[in-house]
Amino acid sequence: MKILIARLNHETNTFSPVPTPLEAFSPAFGEAALRANKGMRTAMAAFIDLAEGMGATLVTPVSATANPSGPVHAKAYDELTRRIVEAAPGCDAILLDLHGAMVAEHTDDGEGDLLARVRAAAPGVPIGVALDLHGNITEQMVQSADVMVGFKTYPHIDMYETGEHAGRLLLQMLRGEAHFRVCWHRLPLMSHTLRSTTLEGPMRDAVEAARGLERSGLPAVSVFGGFSLADIEAPCVSVVATCRAEDAAATQDAVDGLARQIWQRRTEYVYRSDPLEDSLRRAQDMAQGATRPVLLLDHGDNCMSGGTCDTMDVLQAALERGLTGIAMGPLCDPEAVARLIAAGEGAEVDVDLGNKVPLDRIGLHKKPLRLHGTVRAVSDGSYTVTGPIYTGQRCHMGHTVLFDTGSAQIVVSEQTHEPWDLGVFHCVGLDPTRFRFLLLKSRMYCRPVFTPLSEGLVECDSPGVTTSDYARFPFKRVRRPVYPLDPA
């Protein structure tokens, strides 16, 4: 028995200026791809465990994942997908750990095109796919897969469990115990990422309804929030179910019913941002008498949605309001890092920080913020995640500097980086729990670690390529009408 197992993940923000060449994926091939996932909490790791458990021969052509950014370079997409497609012939089953929202320079449907090519290369071979909750599902994806399962958590903590679910169903097909197909319903609804959390609200209820359908006997039901920061035909919410072929009609009815429930609550999937000044005023009020820091979440520049991680709007507004006791990090500015390292620890310098990556696709051009301060520490920007997301993973921000302006201590890094963990501060000797405010460029992934240590959080919507203000994005290719761009 020979099973193809591969991982290719990218969430594409078509408005992002951050490039996505091959090296952005840090790809691993062959045995290195297996080693990169073995024992980890990825869907591919679950595939590996299942295949090894049945004594199968594993074919692992590639494991490649890149932070969300602009469209994948054509050469990178072609190289990574070629390795998967060429490995398919001769395999008895295919398990793919994909994202579901990949756009390349020459295709708007990165996963759909890949799956169609894999299907053509290995006709009749069962294909199972694990996807991110923010996948933009297409007809081509659905038609090319026998099993499709998506994450049920955001923040995402069930990647391994999703892979185990998809793999377990595909192995049932391989053993001749079932024949599956995929049913789906896509809604004309572009949800906001901040309204796709499964911790509360409409997405939590929709996912619980999907679990209820699974408890009633359906093999797999997934609700996909979509990733709306992509100017493609339908960056929209979908309901997808894997069912036995003989149950397709009844399953489609159930999928349609859940989609109707979601549509009835469509206004709850839209995030209404407060003006930045109002958010900061609320944070100041929250900090009065507090013994723990207040989180300022700059979700308009979130690198895990394609942000540049270098906009300065929230920090500048906070300083202008007189906020003090701020710890911020990480801010990506390799030019400033080089300047500060050259000055050396203990040096007092004036430096232009941030706002250096042009935001041409949304028509914004900003100037760096000139600040005076002291270089407090220099490090290699490495730390180990303590969990619960990517527990045990070693992270690297590149050369990293702690810059102290008096009112704010700023962690400045060479690379864009999500604040997964306290390690983004600890790596430069800073204890973030001792500050009044923590300014993090994050939407959701910081919350499992930082929220329990805080007085509370305030969401700050700044003008960047991950803002929740759809009016800033020149959508041209999205199929209309679609809510909330158009009236329901």
Side-chain angles (χ1 to χ4, degrees):
M1 190 70 66
K2 184 183 294 186
I3 300 179
L4 189 159
I5 297 172
R7 183 185 187 198
L8 179 55
N9 293 170
H10 190 254
E11 181 179 77
T12 306
N13 180 336
T14 63
F15 302 101
S16 173
V18 180
T20 317
L22 181 63
E23 53 267 28
F25 288 88
S26 300
F29 304 113
E31 283 295 317
L34 189 152
R35 291 194 302 271
N37 288 271
K38 180 70 174 172
M40 301 298 289
R41 294 290 301 165
T42 64
M44 183 169 173
F47 297 159
I48 291 169
D49 290 346
L50 286 168
E52 289 183 340
M54 64 180 296
T57 298
L58 278 62
V59 178
T60 55
V62 64
S63 174
T65 180
N67 279 348
S69 48
V72 178
H73 290 186
K75 288 183 178 179
Y77 179 84
D78 290 346
E79 172 63 15
L80 296 171
T81 57
R82 176 188 65 80
R83 289 175 177 269
I84 296 172
V85 173
E86 290 183 354
C91 291
D92 300 292
I94 297 167
L95 286 165
L96 300 179
D97 177 348
L98 306 177
H99 184 284
M102 177 186 287
V103 178
E105 291 175 328
H106 54 334
T107 173
D108 284 352
D109 188 7
E111 285 86 359
D113 285 356
L114 168 61
L115 289 169
R117 290 162 58 202
V118 171
R119 173 66 76 195
V125 175
I127 300 173
V129 186
L131 296 170
D132 191 286
L133 177 142
H134 293 108
N136 292 323
I137 310 305
T138 67
E139 182 71 30
Q140 190 168 224
M141 292 167 65
V142 169
Q143 292 298 322
S144 300
D146 299 288
V147 171
M148 184 176 290
V149 185
F151 302 165
K152 285 185 170 65
T153 63
Y154 180 53
H156 306 314
I157 57 174
D158 65 334
M159 292 83 86
Y160 183 94
E161 288 78 7
T162 301
E164 193 278 334
H165 192 166
R168 173 166 39 86
L169 295 180
L170 197 76
L171 294 186
Q172 289 181 26
M173 287 190 68
L174 197 56
R175 293 192 295 263
E177 298 170 0
H179 178 63
F180 294 118
R181 58 163 295 179
V182 179
C183 300
W184 76 308
H185 186 128
R186 184 172 64 203
L187 295 101
L189 171 60
M190 292 170 58
S191 70
H192 280 94
T193 305
L194 277 168
R195 286 291 176 261
S196 62
T197 176
T198 57
L199 300 175
E200 60 183 9
M203 183 60 81
R204 178 192 61 187
D205 296 342
V207 168
E208 182 52 39
R211 293 186 190 276
L213 291 173
E214 291 177 347
R215 288 192 292 269
S216 71
L218 286 180
V221 183
S222 305
V223 179
F224 293 93
F227 184 65
S228 58
L229 302 181
D231 193 16
I232 58 176
E233 181 180 357
C236 296
V237 175
S238 296
V239 181
V240 175
T242 299
C243 67
R244 292 171 180 81
E246 60 270 23
D247 298 331
T251 300
Q252 188 64 55
D253 288 343
V255 166
D256 293 342
L258 179 49
R260 284 192 296 271
Q261 294 175 36
I262 292 172
W263 183 248
Q264 288 167 1
R265 298 180 64 179
R266 58 192 174 277
T267 60
E268 298 179 56
Y269 288 87
V270 177
Y271 180 84
R272 308 292 183 186
S273 297
D274 291 329
L276 182 54
E277 280 297 311
D278 291 351
S279 298
L280 293 174
R281 186 179 302 112
R282 190 164 68 255
Q284 281 182 299
D285 292 342
M286 191 181 296
Q288 294 295 324
T291 59
R292 299 184 297 176
V294 174
L295 302 183
L296 304 175
L297 301 190
D298 181 7
H299 59 90
D301 186 27
N302 169 27
C303 74
M304 289 308 290
S305 291
T308 59
C309 206
D310 89 322
T311 65
M312 301 299 289
D313 302 83
V314 178
L315 178 63
Q316 184 170 354
L319 293 175
E320 290 172 353
R321 284 192 63 84
L323 272 66
T324 59
I326 303 169
M328 176 184 180
L331 172 76
C332 179
D333 189 337
E335 180 182 286
V337 168
R339 166 90 170 86
L340 296 171
I341 290 176
E345 291 188 17
E348 286 194 28
V349 295
D350 292 302
V351 65
D352 292 326
L353 273 181
N355 289 344
K356 292 173 182 172
V357 181
L359 306 179
D360 294 336
R361 292 173 184 170
I362 60 171
L364 289 179
H365 303 87
K366 307 182 183 187
K367 294 182 179 179
L369 182 61
R370 185 78 166 177
L371 292 173
H372 177 82
T374 303
V375 180
R376 296 295 184 194
V378 175
S379 87
D380 65 0
S382 298
Y383 68 92
T384 300
V385 177
T386 57
I389 301 174
Y390 298 126
T391 304
Q393 180 170 304
R394 190 69 176 163
C395 290
H396 307 275
M397 300 190 292
H399 291 104
T400 300
V401 176
L402 177 60
F403 185 60
D404 181 3
T405 71
S407 295
Q409 304 243 354
I410 308 168
V411 177
V412 191
S413 63
E414 285 186 312
Q415 300 173 15
T416 61
H417 192 78
E418 172 75 22
W420 304 108
D421 192 85
L422 298 175
V424 299
F425 295 102
H426 289 169
C427 72
V428 288
L430 202 64
D431 179 0
T433 65
R434 300 180 62 181
F435 289 81
R436 295 184 68 221
F437 302 97
L438 291 183
L439 202 175
L440 307 174
K441 289 180 174 293
S442 181
R443 270 201 179 102
M444 200 63 60
Y445 289 117
C446 70
R447 300 190 192 206
V449 169
F450 286 92
T451 299
L453 305 174
S454 72
E455 191 69 23
L457 66 86
V458 176
E459 293 160 345
C460 300
D461 194 358
S462 64
V465 294
T466 70
T467 175
S468 295
D469 181 4
Y470 284 166
R472 289 193 175 272
F473 299 105
F475 291 106
K476 297 178 180 178
R477 306 182 70 180
V478 173
R479 181 194 296 174
R480 312 290 286 268
V482 63
Y483 187 79
L485 300 186
D486 305 297

